[in-house]
């Protein structure tokens, strides 16, 4: 098994994609596009990390595609582990989980005071 390092376009050299196994260029391009769409948005803090994509060599494996992503978004560490039957499903799952972590990080919708049942101001 050979590992190959590829940078995600639009995000810069801070996020690296590593592959192991028989990963086609089309699958890799789709993964880069999906992850880059989430991490390349304006307004995010500095981002760095690695996405490790693996395809099992055994044909009898139910979910041959696996990915581990460790992305540092400012002070937050986002870790995603996923296994899927196809590379497209895996890329979509990674994109969804990273998007969810990015949204959780956005605190603009939160109020400054806790709700009344937690000792906040009574209305």
């Amino acid at each position: 098994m050979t590992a190959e390092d590829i940078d995600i376009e639009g995000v810069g050299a801070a996020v690296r994609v590593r592959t192991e196994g028989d990963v086609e260029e089309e699958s890799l391009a789709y993964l880069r596009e999906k992850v880059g769409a989430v991490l390349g948005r304006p307004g995010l803090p500095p981002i760095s990390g690695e996405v490790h994509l693996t395809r099992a060599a055994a044909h009898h494996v139910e979910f041959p595609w696996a990915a581990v992503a460790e992305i540092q978004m400012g002070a937050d560490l986002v870790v995603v582990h996923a296994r899927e039957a196809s590379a497209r499903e895996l890329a979509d799952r990674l994109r969804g989980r990273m998007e969810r972590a990015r949204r959780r990080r956005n605190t603009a919708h939160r109020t400054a005071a806790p709700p009344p049942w937690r000792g906040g101001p009574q209305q």
Side-chain angles (χ1 to χ4, degrees):
M1 266 192 279
T2 310
E4 182 180 345
D5 294 339
I6 298 138
D7 295 330
I8 294 178
E9 295 173 21
V11 179
V15 177
R16 185 163 293 244
V17 177
R18 297 195 64 194
T19 63
E20 286 188 39
D22 186 23
V23 178
E24 308 91 24
E25 187 58 39
E26 179 185 327
S27 301
L28 187 58
Y30 188 76
L31 177 82
R32 274 188 264 157
E33 175 188 335
K34 291 298 180 177
V35 173
V38 174
L39 301 180
R41 292 191 177 159
L44 289 177
I47 295 174
S48 64
E50 182 175 282
V51 178
H52 191 115
L53 178 66
T54 306
R55 182 174 184 187
H59 298 287
H60 66 279
V61 177
E62 185 177 359
F63 298 113
W65 292 91
V68 176
E70 292 184 6
I71 307 292
Q72 187 76 37
M73 290 181 161
D76 300 327
L77 177 65
V78 178
V79 179
V80 178
H81 294 262
R83 289 180 103 43
E84 290 295 337
S86 74
R88 285 190 169 264
E89 290 173 8
L90 186 68
D92 291 338
R93 177 165 310 247
L94 278 175
R95 182 203 51 79
R97 289 192 180 167
M98 287 183 193
E99 180 69 32
R100 203 171 332 141
R102 187 194 62 79
R103 268 189 266 127
R104 253 187 264 134
R105 186 171 197 297
N106 182 8
T107 58
H109 67 279
R110 298 182 186 166
T111 61
W117 60 88
R118 294 215 171 158
Q122 300 295 323
Q123 293 182 354

